[in-house]
Amino acid sequence: MKIIAFTGAGISAESGIPTFRGKDGLWKKFRAEELATPEAFFRDPKLVWEWYDWRRQLIAKAEPNEGHKILAKMEEEFPDFYVITQNVDGLHQRAGSKKVIELHGNIWKVRCVECGHETYDYRAPLPEIPPKCEKCGGLLRPGVVWFGESLPLDALEEAFRLSREADVFVVIGTSGVVYPAAQLPYEAKEHGAEVIEVNPDETPISRIADKIYREKASTGLKKVYQYIKERYGSKG
Ligand code: OAD
Ligand code: ZN
């Protein structure tokens, strides 16, 4: 039995990381769509890096919460369990999840826009903004996917394949408005998965959900875990 947990910013909200479209989502009056684009970056790399540096500092101080931990525990318990995440904060991995597909990259990755050199830099705050490439001195960008950019092909293909194979597809803390990621629940549903949503608010995905927990990730996932064990047995 294949179980997929598909996560968005809402799962990290209880770790103190603001969601993008929630009330704390604005940074210095900018919306994510105004900062997370190649155009914004090349117009003002310093501004965009200040935003990422701020988020990196929040994430560095944050701890995985109960929601992340329940998903890590489920991976241990169920042999065919995967996390597909839109998050770039790495909190799933820090909670112990190993089978994690990152659709939008990782905030600790940096990539040179001149020579393509890619590396991880965990310093927060960064000593210099915008940071420069250690190989060629070129401008570094965050290793995340911006609006208007393609998702990493390997991750995207694997995410679509896993979603089509899923028996249970749990959607946690995403507004379901950013494509192609938002397509995955529909893909799963069309191929026969039971779709479960955990979100305090209604989303476009609610319409196709077979089961809905209108609550926070921590308490909602506890119930999802219980439900899956009762419905499908403890080994899935
Ligand atoms: P959003 O900020 O759009 O949505 C967060 C969702 O989490 C909302 O539906 C909230 O109702 C829900 N939520 C809030 N608190 C919650 C909690 N404690 N437990 C569970 N759910 C909660 O974030 P995403 O859907 O992840 O893309 O946004 C998708 C993409 O847009 C992001 O990956 C990012 C962003 O711009 C890129 O950076 C490319
Ligand atoms: Zn370089």
Side-chain angles (χ1 to χ4, degrees):
M1 210 233 346
K2 192 186 288 301
I3 308 168
I4 306 293
F6 174 55
T7 64
I11 196 166
S12 295
E14 290 168 81
S15 294
I17 302 168
T19 62
F20 296 101
R21 291 168 187 80
K23 61 173 168 46
D24 302 322
L26 295 184
W27 176 78
K28 293 189 178 175
K29 80 189 181 324
F30 297 103
R31 291 179 300 121
E33 287 85 348
E34 298 173 277
L35 296 167
T37 72
E39 294 75 21
F41 181 71
F42 288 106
R43 193 189 316 127
D44 195 345
K46 188 161 175 284
L47 176 77
V48 172
W49 261 117
E50 276 169 4
W51 180 52
Y52 279 102
D53 201 42
W54 172 72
R55 289 193 71 91
R56 284 164 58 108
Q57 290 177 61
L58 285 178
I59 293 163
K61 278 190 232 122
E63 295 293 337
N65 65 57
E66 208 43 42
H68 298 108
K69 288 178 193 165
I70 292 168
L71 294 182
K73 193 153 122 203
M74 287 173 83
E75 179 180 315
E76 273 179 16
E77 175 150 352
F78 302 113
D80 207 5
F81 182 93
Y82 297 81
V83 172
I84 301 174
T85 189
Q86 300 166 83
N87 298 346
V88 298
D89 56 30
L91 287 177
H92 286 301
Q93 293 89 332
R94 279 172 57 194
S97 288
K98 293 189 180 64
K99 295 188 278 184
V100 181
I101 295 160
E102 291 182 321
L103 289 175
H104 291 162
N106 189 289
I107 200 164
W108 301 109
K109 224 190 275 178
V110 292
R111 185 165 71 246
C112 179
V113 302
E114 301 295 339
C115 76
H117 177 62
E118 196 170 82
T119 165
Y120 283 85
D121 187 337
Y122 293 96
R123 291 174 300 175
L126 284 162
E128 184 197 6
I129 284 186
K132 300 284 161 46
C133 176
E134 60 191 9
K135 295 261 188 258
C136 78
L139 178 64
L140 290 175
R141 61 164 285 175
V144 303
V145 177
W146 284 329
F147 290 100
E149 295 185 321
S150 343
L151 278 60
L153 196 60
D154 291 359
L156 189 63
E157 279 177 358
E158 198 184 4
F160 268 86
R161 181 176 59 76
L162 291 171
S163 301
R164 286 192 286 261
E165 293 169 358
D167 298 289
V168 181
F169 191 93
V170 191
V171 185
I172 309 123
T174 179
S175 57
V177 296
V178 176
Y179 282 78
Q183 182 62 32
L184 295 173
Y186 300 93
E187 205 69 14
K189 175 85 178 181
E190 262 171 39
H191 289 80
E194 174 178 14
V195 174
I196 303 176
E197 178 174 64
V198 180
N199 196 315
D201 291 325
E202 194 176 344
T203 75
I205 294 158
S206 309
R207 206 174 42 82
I208 61 156
D210 298 290
K211 213 169 166 52
I212 296 174
Y213 296 89
R214 276 278 161 261
E215 49 190 299
K216 292 179 173 179
S218 55
T219 56
L221 277 174
K222 207 169 179 174
K223 293 177 189 168
V224 169
Y225 183 31
Q226 209 52 44
Y227 166 74
I228 291 177
K229 277 198 289 197
E230 279 162 19
R231 170 93 165 69
Y232 296 96
S234 72
K235 289 287 164 213

